[in-house]
Amino acid sequence: MTPKEEIEQLRTQLHQHNYNYYVLNQPTISDYEFDQMMHKLEDLETFYPQYADPNSPTQRVGSDINQSFRQVPHKYPMLSLANTYNEADVRDFYERVKNGLEGEEFEIVAEMKYDGLSISLTYVDGKLTQAVTRGDGVQGDDVTANVRTINSIPLQLRPNSGYPHEFEIRGEILMPWTSFEALNKERELREEQLFANPRNAASGTLKSQKSELVASRKLDAYLYYLLGDEIGNDGYHYENLQKAKEWGFKISDGMKKCKTVDEILDYINYWDKERKNLPVATDGIVLKVNSLRQQQHLGYTAKSPRWAIAYKFQAERACTRLNEVTYQVGRTGAITPVANMNPVKLAGTIVKRASLHNADIIQQLDLHIGDMVYVEKGGEIIPKVVGVDKTQRTPDMQPVHFITHCPECGAELLRIEGEAAHYCPNDTACPPQIKGRIEHFISRKAMDIESLGPETVDDYYQRGLIHNIADLYLIKASDISGAKNERAKSALKIVEGVKASLQVPFERVVFAIGIRFVGETTAKLLARHFKTMDALKNATVEQLLDVEGIGMVIAQSVVNYFQEPRNVEIIERLKEYGVQMSLSEEALSNQSTKLEGKSIVISGVFSKHSRDEYKALIEQHGGKNVGSISAKTSFILAGENMGPAKLEKASKLGVQILSEDDFLAMIENED
Ligand code: IVH
């Protein structure tokens, strides 16, 4: 077998195994065997770059190159469906179809309405060529690179399965409940904002600038609509989708052909309960006339087809009494109003608190204390108040007025123009904000003071031992353990932990001090660029904007932080106690200007250092890491598996490609 044949054979086999695993849920080989085959293919492709193919199963890993999406017009507009909410509407639809078809027999296909993000995929000669979001229905974003990372979307259709030469297939991209929950758990740990529901999470993921991130988020896709000249008008929707399944697409197993309204209603009632066992979110049922000829005969209104309709499930809802509205103050000072209600059962759990989001929502609901309120648990994790039963209101009930002052510290609240939330501006003296900042300071990725946890922080704060991050360094074991010495051992451990944090490198100190919007990566960029806390403190917005990767929001936030005298005072104290306030000798001595003025693209998979480490090395030596290849690119630092499109672009523009070893030799060489 020639290498080319071997590559092709491996690709065909891997596409088939992918289909067995992700579409049919019936793998025929072990994960280990699958990985072995994949590695073999990766090796061959690296060795024979001339046979590169963007649709190879090896290309699902994505890239960390930033992309802005190209707008692409839809060949056929992406319409939406008319919504219905009750049995009478379904009967009306059935009657309208019946009348429209003038007594001809017809079938209605009932199927799940998936609650994700609609996508239109184009296939030419069995290969995925384009993936476009719905956008405004006329044109959408070209998200092909991201969609390629979704395992249940075939890159190559199954050979000899009878697919048309060219067609479009539409469907929904979804984040399965399990991935959604895992993602939110991770975000909670990192103190990032949670996604409200899987649809938002899927949409946020698919619009991400980095396909590498998309690949890691484990999206899924169900397809439900075929289009194209060769699909024709004389076939049937249901039968076409069964064929599409043969070609390699994931099609719902729950579709049903119905002849009568009663069959349709049975289907709806069955799935209203059963859908809770599905791995992905659904929000209704879609009803479609099966015959394509009849569909064409019925035609379209301006907005939606006359041959289809969506029936939306009622979100689960309960009614209970509102007793009180309380307000929570977050770490950043944002205020969240919370409804406290009589306990009530909703979607399997007892609910007594629900989010009221912000002042506008309270006003829209015209909420009064004592009101009977409707609580819903849609796709969201936290239940929310969606309405009030005003018939049960009595004249003695008082309207809810949003607080004007912080419930924790009494400061007058602020509302930034254009933002829905109220803030407590007292960030230096408001307890939850202070405790939040101390908790951030001691967390693992910051100063990593293991011996201290949130409860201890709370305890010391209550006891007046600490008021800010600098106070941590003044704590003595005797302060902690008190007179009776009962907590002597743990007290010693805490003091030791605090002392050990003096060795934490400057990069992490920049992260730990908690400048708004300065995450771990940004902190590293700032530390390496400015080298000392004093330089960072004195940096102007313009100087900050000069740092690759720093935008206006961060630059302004850094300047604001150091304009606050309290912050400067705390930094001075930290310096006095011995916290690292500049890059270490080691980090400094590794610096040079060898790469000054060079724009370098990083691509592929590396074995000696991680991608982030290479980024850091480039910056330490004065170079700039850029996202995409252009005529201005100085060279590409290429690991294994550099994508074929990039290879082609590089050779077209004559950009030099350096291996890991070449690159390391280059920066290690004495000048
Ligand atoms: S068919 C012209 N089938 O619901 C008909 N849509 O407003 C095209 N959806 O934008 C749509 N599940 O994003 C169809 N089984 C299904 C669906 C479905 C979810 C979405 C789709 C569409 C919206 C309808």
Side-chain angles (χ1 to χ4, degrees):
M1 212 176 346
T2 66
K4 185 168 182 241
E5 282 164 350
E6 196 176 354
I7 288 177
E8 277 166 5
Q9 191 187 49
L10 277 167
R11 283 180 186 159
T12 313
Q13 288 169 344
L14 281 162
H15 281 308
Q16 176 68 40
H17 288 307
N18 218 48
Y19 174 72
N20 295 344
Y21 187 93
Y22 289 104
V23 178
L24 300 183
N25 262 328
Q26 283 163 354
T28 56
I29 58 168
S30 69
D31 290 2
Y32 176 77
E33 286 167 301
F34 184 88
D35 289 344
Q36 291 299 94
M37 286 171 73
M38 190 68 106
H39 286 143
K40 193 159 172 200
L41 177 59
E42 279 167 358
D43 288 347
L44 283 167
E45 287 180 347
T46 316
F47 210 77
Y48 301 101
Q50 64 269 41
Y51 303 132
D53 177 352
N55 281 337
S56 166
T58 56
Q59 299 302 305
R60 290 203 196 257
V61 289
S63 129
D64 74 345
I65 285 190
N66 273 333
Q67 36 183 343
S68 46
F69 302 111
R70 195 167 57 101
Q71 290 276 305
V72 183
H74 291 295
K75 190 167 168 192
Y76 312 91
M78 271 179 101
L79 300 178
S80 58
L81 299 173
N83 285 329
T84 61
Y85 296 90
N86 54 45
E87 192 183 313
D89 290 343
V90 173
R91 289 186 189 277
D92 281 353
F93 168 69
Y94 190 87
E95 286 306 311
R96 281 201 305 278
V97 169
K98 195 169 159 186
N99 294 337
L101 295 175
E102 294 151 41
E104 216 180 45
E105 282 205 12
F106 62 94
E107 282 173 329
I108 298 284
V109 181
E111 56 194 59
M112 299 311 302
K113 183 171 187 305
Y114 291 103
D115 191 13
L117 194 81
S118 39
I119 191 82
S120 189
L121 309 173
T122 305
Y123 285 80
V124 181
D125 290 331
K127 291 185 195 329
L128 172 68
T129 56
Q130 197 172 60
V132 185
T133 62
R134 187 183 134 85
D136 60 5
V138 177
Q139 56 175 12
D141 284 334
D142 178 345
V143 289
T144 316
N146 285 349
V147 164
R148 276 186 205 288
T149 68
I150 302 174
N151 282 308
S152 51
I153 292 186
L155 299 175
Q156 164 71 58
L157 300 182
R158 299 175 68 224
N160 309 318
S161 58
Y163 51 77
H165 161 63
E166 182 172 348
F167 64 94
E168 265 182 69
I169 189 161
R170 290 181 180 171
E172 208 83 354
I173 293 188
L174 301 141
M175 183 176 285
W177 288 109
T178 48
S179 315
F180 169 69
E181 278 148 21
L183 174 63
N184 261 353
K185 206 174 243 168
E186 232 178 72
R187 291 175 77 86
E188 198 174 346
L189 281 176
R190 289 201 305 256
E191 297 177 355
E192 289 169 354
Q193 200 174 358
L194 303 190
F195 285 115
N197 52 45
R199 181 176 11 88
N200 289 2
S203 158
T205 302
L206 200 73
K207 299 280 172 67
S208 157
Q209 302 286 315
K210 292 180 180 172
S211 54
E212 208 173 49
L213 179 128
V214 185
S216 72
R217 291 263 180 97
K218 305 273 172 283
L219 296 174
D220 202 351
Y222 282 88
L223 287 309
Y224 46 64
Y225 187 34
L226 269 166
L227 281 157
D229 297 341
E230 291 157 82
I231 303 298
N233 290 320
D234 50 2
Y236 294 87
H237 168 69
Y238 183 91
E239 283 70 17
N240 278 348
L241 285 188
Q242 298 311 316
K243 282 190 228 156
K245 191 171 193 171
E246 283 298 304
W247 304 340
F249 294 103
K250 190 160 185 167
I251 308 287
S252 165
D253 286 328
M255 291 167 67
K256 185 169 187 267
K257 290 194 275 187
C258 304
K259 285 224 158 77
T260 63
V261 179
D262 287 336
E263 274 178 276
I264 297 173
L265 295 173
D266 281 349
Y267 182 91
I268 291 178
N269 290 331
Y270 174 78
W271 281 107
D272 194 0
K273 299 201 175 59
E274 202 47 43
R275 71 191 181 102
K276 286 166 200 139
N277 299 321
L278 292 174
V280 293
T282 53
D283 61 345
I285 297 291
V286 178
L287 302 173
K288 297 173 185 165
V289 170
N290 195 21
S291 149
L292 302 188
R293 184 185 51 78
Q294 289 178 338
Q295 285 186 3
Q296 211 189 16
H297 181 79
L298 291 164
Y300 296 82
T301 68
K303 279 190 291 186
S304 51
R306 285 199 189 87
W307 48 265
I309 203 157
Y311 169 89
K312 300 264 269 193
F313 291 126
Q314 283 278 346
E316 280 195 65
R317 184 180 265 215
C319 193
T320 186
R321 188 173 303 280
L322 172 72
N323 297 322
E324 192 190 4
V325 175
T326 52
Y327 300 84
Q328 283 176 351
V329 186
R331 185 160 76 86
T332 55
I335 310 286
T336 313
V338 178
N340 294 260
M341 310 159 304
N342 282 350
V344 62
K345 197 158 176 196
L346 177 62
T349 53
I350 305 281
V351 172
K352 49 186 179 199
R353 286 154 63 84
S355 173
L356 286 166
H357 300 287
N358 56 50
D360 292 344
I361 304 260
I362 293 180
Q363 204 174 7
Q364 275 161 27
L365 289 168
D366 178 28
L367 210 57
H368 285 53
I369 298 294
D371 266 342
M372 291 303 288
V373 292
Y374 295 110
V375 196
E376 246 181 36
K377 211 178 195 178
E380 268 90 75
I381 359 173
I382 307 164
K384 57 182 178 188
V385 175
V386 292
V388 176
D389 181 357
K390 290 194 180 154
T391 62
Q392 300 200 48
R393 184 173 290 165
T394 51
D396 56 312
M397 290 183 190
Q398 295 301 312
V400 174
H401 293 295
F402 202 88
I403 46 168
T404 52
H405 291 77
C406 176
E408 300 275 350
C409 73
E412 190 172 348
L413 300 182
L414 274 185
R415 191 174 195 177
I416 299 168
E417 240 195 77
E419 278 190 35
H422 281 77
Y423 283 93
C424 167
N426 186 14
D427 57 345
T428 50
C430 179
Q433 298 189 57
I434 296 173
K435 282 189 271 181
R437 270 202 306 276
I438 301 176
E439 278 163 23
H440 170 75
F441 186 77
I442 62 173
S443 65
R444 201 170 50 82
K445 290 189 169 169
M447 303 306 275
D448 192 19
I449 308 180
E450 251 185 24
S451 45
L452 274 169
E455 293 86 26
T456 328
V457 168
D458 192 42
D459 178 36
Y460 294 179
Y461 182 79
Q462 301 292 346
R463 289 162 62 192
L465 285 175
I466 47 174
H467 309 94
N468 56 50
I469 53 178
D471 289 348
L472 288 170
Y473 293 89
L474 294 181
I475 302 181
K476 292 201 245 9
S478 56
D479 296 339
I480 307 171
S481 51
K484 286 196 201 134
N485 234 8
E486 64 218 349
R487 284 173 286 193
K489 215 166 157 193
S490 64
L492 234 102
K493 238 173 111 186
I494 288 171
V495 175
E496 271 165 23
V498 172
K499 200 167 155 202
S501 76
L502 296 177
Q503 305 309 319
V504 166
F506 178 56
E507 292 95 318
R508 273 169 45 198
V509 176
V510 174
F511 172 60
I513 56 175
I515 306 174
R516 214 167 168 208
F517 305 122
V518 175
E520 237 186 310
T521 318
T522 310
K524 273 189 198 153
L525 291 177
L526 292 172
R528 290 192 186 123
H529 185 91
F530 292 99
K531 300 187 179 63
T532 69
M533 193 65 91
D534 281 336
L536 181 62
K537 183 176 89 183
N538 296 325
T540 61
V541 167
E542 291 71 33
Q543 286 165 338
L544 284 156
L545 286 173
D546 269 353
V547 184
E548 177 73 19
I550 305 290
M552 198 57 200
V553 174
I554 297 174
Q556 195 57 57
S557 170
V558 172
V559 169
N560 290 350
Y561 179 89
F562 288 106
Q563 262 168 8
E564 174 63 53
R566 293 282 299 247
N567 290 335
V568 177
E569 186 196 319
I570 285 172
I571 300 285
E572 284 305 317
R573 282 179 59 201
L574 291 175
K575 190 196 259 177
E576 191 184 309
Y577 304 146
V579 172
Q580 300 295 315
M581 289 291 158
S582 57
L583 274 189
S584 65
E585 285 298 319
E586 195 195 341
L588 274 173
S589 70
N590 280 341
Q591 294 213 331
S592 82
T593 51
K594 277 177 199 147
L595 300 177
E596 199 166 296
K598 296 218 181 332
S599 296
I600 301 157
V601 170
I602 306 182
S603 176
V605 182
F606 299 92
S607 52
K608 299 207 162 147
H609 292 278
S610 72
R611 208 173 244 271
D612 281 342
E613 284 166 352
Y614 277 119
K615 262 186 206 167
L617 280 171
I618 290 174
E619 279 152 20
Q620 275 173 31
H621 294 279
K624 228 183 194 185
N625 171 219
V626 293
S628 55
I629 304 170
S630 72
K632 286 193 210 131
T633 308
S634 314
F635 63 83
I636 299 168
L637 165 55
E640 288 193 26
N641 246 334
M642 172 167 162
K646 267 173 260 166
L647 263 176
E648 198 187 313
K649 196 160 179 194
S651 70
K652 220 185 209 164
L653 295 169
V655 177
Q656 196 190 358
I657 298 180
L658 292 189
S659 70
E660 277 189 277
D661 290 328
D662 295 340
F663 175 78
L664 291 171
M666 179 178 200
I667 56 173
E668 271 154 29
N669 257 341
E670 291 301 320
D671 292 55

